[in-house]
Amino acid sequence: MDEKTQIQLFEDKRVRTIWDKETEEWYFSVVDVVAVLTQSVDATAYWRKLKQRLKNEGNETVTNCHGLKMLAADGKMRMTDVANFEQMFRIIQSIPSPKAEPFKLWMAQVAAQRVDQLQDPELSIEQAMMDYKRLGYSDNWINQRLKSIEVRKELTDEWKKHGLQEGVQFATLTDIIYKTWAGKTAKEYKQFKGLKKENLRDNMTNRELVLNMLAEISTKDISESTNPQDFSDHVQNAVDGATIAKNARLELEQKTGKKVVTPLNAKGTIKQLTSEKQVAKESEK
């Protein structure tokens, strides 16, 4: 299963979901749905009892449900029962709740939005913009972040074209790019910013995003020009591409006297700083 985990919101309540590219359908966290519909103090216990009752009744929907690792409240990936669209509908029918019908409509909207986004990529971009705005990022930062996603995809498409595999090979080359231009591997970079499960690029400043984009687009361009034959060639291209960004970083730091790679992160100050700049710009108009 090729999954993409997302947090969906129903009446400001978080519902963890996973999109499966192979089957092209959403899987919903059953416990999260139970919590929304029942407002139970212990949704896990409620689901445990309901699941046992449905099993005793010979309910095939519960039998067919399976578990996947999802991000828990404690920040760790833990196994949780999930159900697809059809299975979830049947489970909801077993839960007496005034929110059952509104929730079914919401689930249908979630599914429809995903189908629309597959047909029109611009909708995915618009959704990402709204998500980042809701988290408090400035328009300027959001534009940079979305551009960085585009640049990253161009680079990974180039790697795939040469037969490289997602996972170890992508991670190795990415670490080389980070280490060359920023002086830190992805793990070291995250530790420097005080991050754990959070996305590193979502916690970069504008300058960090721009230089990382320069490193990746340079690597992609060099790869297109050199037509690498083996993994060692890709390693050299990553070093060469990231060195261009490293030189730009060093020159900028020399001219400004300020470090580009900083411990700033979204939880701490990035969103606050970008919001303050936005307010300042608007007040000048």
Side-chain angles (χ1 to χ4, degrees):
M1 178 180 285
D2 188 357
E3 308 135 356
K4 181 172 182 177
T5 306
Q6 289 187 15
I7 301 295
Q8 310 283 357
L9 294 177
F10 171 77
E11 295 182 353
D12 295 328
K13 299 292 178 61
R14 292 159 59 91
V15 179
R16 290 168 295 172
T17 63
I18 285 182
W19 173 257
D20 179 11
K21 288 183 180 178
E22 295 177 4
T23 61
E24 294 192 349
E25 61 182 341
W26 282 112
Y27 283 85
F28 299 80
S29 164
V30 180
V31 170
D32 291 355
V33 174
V34 168
V36 168
L37 297 180
T38 66
Q39 297 183 333
S40 172
V41 176
D42 190 345
T44 301
Y46 187 105
W47 167 236
R48 192 183 304 119
K49 292 179 181 178
L50 175 61
K51 180 166 64 172
Q52 188 58 52
R53 176 171 67 81
L54 293 175
K55 279 186 177 179
N56 293 338
E57 294 173 358
N59 190 300
E60 292 185 5
T61 298
V62 175
T63 304
N64 293 332
C65 284
H66 58 281
L68 289 174
K69 281 191 174 183
M70 304 182 88
L71 190 63
D74 61 4
K76 296 182 179 179
M77 299 298 290
R78 299 187 181 280
M79 291 296 292
T80 186
D81 287 338
V82 298
N84 64 18
F85 191 80
E86 182 180 352
Q87 292 167 338
M88 201 70 251
F89 257 53
R90 292 178 179 174
I91 292 173
I92 291 172
Q93 290 174 348
S94 304
I95 302 174
S97 171
K99 293 187 177 183
E101 290 307 314
F103 191 83
K104 288 179 182 178
L105 291 174
W106 175 81
M107 283 178 60
Q109 290 173 353
V110 168
Q113 285 173 1
R114 180 60 190 180
V115 171
D116 289 343
Q117 288 171 3
L118 288 172
Q119 295 173 345
D120 184 357
E122 287 187 10
L123 294 176
S124 296
I125 295 173
E126 290 175 4
Q127 183 63 51
M129 289 182 70
M130 288 189 290
D131 290 342
Y132 281 126
K133 279 192 174 184
R134 187 164 56 243
L135 290 170
Y137 291 99
S138 72
D139 290 342
N140 185 39
W141 185 93
I142 293 171
N143 289 334
Q144 298 286 10
R145 182 67 180 98
L146 294 179
K147 186 64 179 177
S148 74
I149 293 172
E150 178 186 343
V151 168
R152 175 67 179 179
K153 186 178 185 307
E154 289 177 354
L155 175 59
T156 55
D157 284 347
E158 171 67 15
W159 286 343
K160 288 177 184 177
K161 186 176 74 176
H162 289 278
L164 298 188
Q165 300 296 315
E166 294 185 54
V168 175
Q169 289 185 322
F170 277 28
T172 300
L173 292 173
T174 300
D175 263 349
I176 290 170
I177 290 172
Y178 281 141
K179 187 71 174 180
T180 302
W181 85 259
K184 303 178 188 299
T185 63
K187 182 178 180 180
E188 292 168 344
Y189 211 154
K190 291 183 74 171
Q191 290 175 340
F192 183 60
K193 286 182 173 288
L195 308 176
K196 293 181 180 179
K197 297 289 185 180
E198 300 92 336
N199 184 290
L200 175 58
R201 296 172 195 228
D202 282 351
N203 288 274
M204 285 185 176
T205 63
N206 274 328
R207 293 173 184 81
E208 290 171 306
L209 280 174
V210 168
L211 286 173
N212 194 64
M213 279 192 284
L214 176 60
E216 292 193 327
I217 202 166
S218 298
T219 301
K220 187 264 297 182
D221 287 348
I222 292 171
S223 177
E224 290 177 340
S225 300
T226 61
N227 191 28
Q229 299 302 306
D230 53 36
F231 190 69
S232 63
D233 290 339
H234 287 285
V235 169
Q236 187 59 55
N237 288 343
V239 171
D240 291 343
T243 298
I244 294 172
K246 174 186 176 181
N247 292 336
R249 173 180 68 81
L250 293 175
E251 185 174 353
L252 179 60
E253 290 177 341
Q254 183 181 17
K255 297 290 185 182
T256 64
K258 297 178 181 178
K259 293 291 185 183
V260 169
V261 178
T262 75
L264 294 179
N265 59 54
K267 185 183 292 184
T269 50
I270 289 179
K271 288 184 289 186
Q272 178 184 346
L273 288 173
T274 54
S275 296
E276 288 174 354
K277 289 180 181 177
Q278 192 73 19
V279 171
K281 281 185 178 180
E282 291 176 357
S283 63
E284 291 173 358
K285 294 179 180 178

